[in-house]
Every structure is written in structure tokens, then in C-alpha cells.
Amino acid sequence: MSEQNELLRIVASQLNKTVCETEIADWNKLMRLAKKQGLLPYVAIYARSLTGHQPDKSIRNDLFTVIVQEAAYSANQLDAVAEMQQEMEKNGIYNLAVKGAVTKRRYPDEVMRSMGDIDLLYKPEQHHVFKALMLSLGYGDYQEGRKNDTYSRPPYITVEAHRELVESGSEYAGYYQNIWNMAHPKEGMKYTYEMTLEDEMIFNVVHLAEHFKEGGAGVRFIIDVYVYSLIDMDRAYVERELRKLGLNEFYQNINALAKHWFADGKSSELTEKLADFIMAGGVFGDHENAAALAVEEGRARRFFKVCFPNYESMKSMYPWLKGKRALLPYAWVLRGVGAVRHRKNNIQAQINWMKTGNAVKAKELREFYTECGL
């Protein structure tokens, strides 16, 4: 598709700060694809830089609005991170910003790296003081979740508050079980932590791998890989740790794709397969893939895993369960009531996946993942 090539060329020009002014075949198609992949700011910045081959006035106005909104959105999100961390520092609450809130600062322009939510890790034993602080800061829309809790503040700031860096059931949980020892306090602070640049990049690869295995990941994740590849760091340490995690082969394949798209790197049969797979989905992959994988082990098994998570998973959601395994059924009921009240869309999505999941497609996906290094 020409718009796919055009979009990748535009992204590469913005990341590498090069000029690539050519006539766009169909601006509307390009913008639809860019929106699907969460890359509309790149198109907007590119359009503003053109001296010729400009889109018509209505499209220019739409793209100008994108820039204004993204700039405001990005600035307000980063201000919210700074405000939360300042207040947590005052109140002795351990915290660690991860994912987009950190990654976007590595980009040539922070507006290029959009993010939906602010991801923040805190210590589970501080749940009550953390929650009280968030409510005092105006994050009144609060929802408990198994993977994380969600806090929202009008008009559009949403925080995913994590008690664990990765889920207890994840194959990477053991690696991150002592995350507070791996990270370190930011300069001049006691309770606000950060990772080293190398560990920050490694976690991004872990996060990408988890999304990939749940149904895929979009171009934005590949751009993250490329951006970190341009930064000077201890590559030997990164490779060593990725080998421990079983992710070095996967990373090398993804990095090859990033280089092919954004730095004239060589193509291969696997690179082309990866490109097609990633372009077929949105920012966080393809719902059909997710549905297939959801019922890979059978619909009944999937139903029980979703409705009755194991003790370790539930203990993450309800820290008071620690050492009280007998209360697990009560926690299941509590979680079910909360899901019905606050997460009806999630329930409907799970039901849809149970109906449409395809075990044959799941097998094909697993074979592809193995080829990719997962």
C-alpha cells in the first residue's frame, strides 16, 4: 500500500531530521492509517513543514488541530507526572514512572510519542496512602483491576497505577520481583525512583514482547526500539540481560525491522512477515489475534482463568489476601461485583473473544512467534 510506505517515510524523516518532501497520493487514506497506528502527530508535523505538495485547506486545518491538541495533551500529561511525583515524594510514597511517561522524553520531540495513560508503579503495602493521595489530587474516578488500578481526572488524564511491574503470572515476573533494588532514587529524591537507561530499554522490550504475545503490537512500539537504538548505552549489558529473559533473538529481529523501516536497513523474509503482521493491527495489535489466543487452551479453561484468577494474581489485586488464602473465594466475589459495576466493556470483550476465538489461527500465531524468537 502506497500510504503505508508514505507513512513510514514520513516517520523516518521526523526521527532522523531529514527532508523528504514528495507528493502524497491520498491524504485521507494516509491520515486514517496514521490514526490507526497512533502516528497522526508525525503526519501533522510533516504537513506543517511542507513548502510544496500541500494538502487542501480543510486537511491542513485538521492537522493543525492535531498538533495543538497533541502538544497540549503531552504537556499536561508530563505536568501531571511531575505533580504526582512531587506529592509522593512529600508523602513518602515510593514510585517509579514507566513506559510512555519515560520513553517520550527520549524522542526528538515529545509530541511524537503519544500515550494514552500514565503508568506508575508503587509499593503494594502503600496502597491506602497512595489511593488517598490520588483522590486528594482530583483523580476521583477510581477503578480496581487485577493488573492495575485506574485513576482518572478531567478532562483527559488517566493513570494506571501498578503494584507489580509485570503480572505475577508472567514468565518475566521473576526477573522483576526485586524491581526496587534494580531501580534507584532520582537525583535529590528519596522515594521517586528511575531505572538506568539500559534497564529502561530492556523493560520496553519486555513490554513489547507481552503485547506481541497477546495479539500483536503496532508501529509505535517499533519506533520506540529504533529511538533507543540511537542512544549511546552499554549494549553488552542489554544483550546479556535480554538473553537471560529469552528475548535477545526477538529483539534482534524487531531491531532489524526498525532499521529497515527507518534507517535503510536490509530486508529479509522474516522482516517482511513482521512488517505485514504489525501493519495489519492497530497500536496494540489485532483483536482477532487476541481472540484466537484467548481460547487456545479451550473455552472452558479460558472461562475459569478469567473468572477465577489464581491466588498470586488475586493477591496482587487485593494485598490484604497475603497469608489469607482461605479468603480467596470472597475476593473473587468482590472482583466480580466490581467488574459488573465498572468494567462492562471488558466483560463484553471477553465474551466476544470466547465466541470468535479460533484455535487453528492460534496455532499459526504460535508458530510465527517462535519464528520471531518468542
Side-chain angles (χ1 to χ4, degrees):
M1 293 169 60
S2 60
E3 61 267 21
Q4 175 178 313
N5 294 330
E6 288 168 347
L7 177 60
L8 293 173
R9 178 179 54 80
I10 287 169
V11 171
S13 71
Q14 300 301 315
L15 293 173
N16 300 318
K17 299 181 180 179
T18 57
V19 178
C20 69
E21 189 165 324
T22 60
E23 187 170 0
I24 301 298
D26 189 324
W27 280 95
N28 288 313
K29 280 187 177 180
L30 174 65
M31 290 167 64
R32 282 197 295 271
L33 177 61
K35 184 175 182 180
K36 178 182 177 181
Q37 291 288 347
L39 303 177
L40 207 49
Y42 288 90
V43 178
I45 295 169
Y46 170 74
R48 292 278 291 173
S49 71
L50 294 174
T51 56
H53 307 297
Q54 296 214 359
D56 63 42
K57 186 176 180 180
S58 64
I59 291 177
R60 289 202 307 273
N61 289 340
D62 288 344
L63 290 173
F64 177 71
T65 301
V66 168
I67 291 178
V68 173
Q69 289 178 338
E70 281 295 330
Y73 195 46
S74 179
N76 285 333
Q77 284 182 314
L78 292 177
D79 285 347
V81 173
E83 176 193 36
M84 286 185 291
Q85 291 192 319
Q86 184 179 36
E87 292 302 314
M88 287 180 215
E89 187 70 23
K90 288 180 184 176
N91 288 274
I93 300 173
Y94 288 89
N95 66 93
L96 172 68
V98 293
K99 302 180 187 178
V102 177
T103 302
K104 73 190 284 100
R105 297 184 183 276
R106 305 298 182 189
Y107 275 62
D109 186 332
E110 291 169 352
V111 174
M112 293 179 185
R113 179 46 163 91
S114 59
M115 63 175 183
D117 306 319
I118 297 168
D119 290 276
L120 204 65
L121 178 74
Y122 69 97
K123 291 190 174 183
E125 59 266 30
Q126 294 189 301
H127 173 72
H128 294 297
V129 290
F130 178 89
K131 180 179 178 181
L133 176 62
M134 292 297 289
L135 294 176
S136 74
L137 292 175
Y139 293 88
D141 187 2
Y142 168 72
Q143 295 180 24
E144 282 189 343
R146 182 163 59 93
K147 296 173 69 173
N148 55 264
D149 297 334
T150 303
Y151 297 83
S152 297
R153 184 173 72 182
Y156 49 68
I157 302 296
T158 301
V159 179
E160 287 193 352
H162 301 262
R163 293 173 293 274
E164 299 173 312
L165 195 58
V166 296
E167 265 196 286
S168 57
S170 167
E171 63 187 285
Y172 312 115
Y175 184 85
Y176 286 110
Q177 62 183 344
N178 296 315
I179 179 58
W180 296 103
N181 294 330
M182 293 173 63
H184 59 274
K186 294 179 75 170
E187 186 177 353
M189 296 183 174
K190 183 177 180 181
Y191 302 101
T192 302
Y193 277 56
E194 64 182 356
M195 296 184 197
T196 64
L197 178 62
E198 290 80 7
D199 284 329
E200 185 184 307
M201 177 190 158
I202 291 165
F203 178 65
N204 274 2
V205 176
V206 169
H207 183 51
L208 166 58
E210 291 198 313
H211 269 290
F212 213 83
K213 288 186 286 188
E214 289 171 1
V219 177
R220 196 174 72 186
F221 281 88
I222 312 307
I223 299 173
D224 285 350
V225 169
Y226 181 69
V227 167
Y228 278 94
S229 77
L230 300 176
I231 304 172
D232 185 37
M233 66 176 74
D234 186 346
R235 297 287 166 183
Y237 170 81
V238 170
E239 183 173 333
R240 186 168 64 249
E241 296 305 300
L242 287 175
R243 287 189 186 281
K244 287 182 186 177
L245 288 158
L247 288 174
N248 190 55
E249 182 185 352
F250 173 68
Y251 167 71
Q252 296 300 336
N253 290 327
I254 292 294
N255 193 42
L257 174 62
K259 291 284 197 290
H260 172 59
W261 274 351
F262 310 123
D264 297 321
K266 292 181 180 179
S267 179
S268 67
E269 184 180 350
L270 180 56
T271 299
E272 295 302 326
K273 284 184 182 179
L274 275 167
D276 291 342
F277 179 76
I278 289 165
M279 277 296 184
V283 177
F284 300 108
D286 188 294
H287 290 297
E288 186 181 343
N289 293 340
L293 294 166
V295 298
E296 183 181 16
E297 298 175 309
R299 285 172 170 77
R301 185 182 292 252
R302 173 68 181 183
F303 174 80
F304 281 102
K305 283 178 71 173
V306 170
C307 294
F308 307 105
N310 62 28
Y311 172 69
E312 291 300 323
S313 295
M314 291 300 292
K315 187 175 65 174
S316 171
M317 183 174 181
Y318 300 114
W320 49 261
L321 267 177
K322 186 175 182 180
K324 301 174 183 176
R325 191 181 290 267
L327 294 179
L328 183 58
Y330 170 71
W332 283 334
V333 172
L334 201 62
R335 174 175 175 269
V337 171
V340 171
R341 290 178 58 189
H342 302 296
R343 297 189 297 281
K344 291 182 180 178
N345 289 340
N346 288 2
I347 294 173
Q348 188 59 55
Q350 292 289 343
I351 292 171
N352 291 341
W353 289 357
M354 296 280 284
K355 290 179 179 177
T356 62
N358 185 312
V360 174
K361 184 176 178 63
K363 183 175 183 295
E364 293 172 353
L365 282 170
R366 291 298 181 194
E367 291 172 353
F368 173 63
Y369 290 168
T370 299
E371 188 179 1
C372 293
L374 291 173

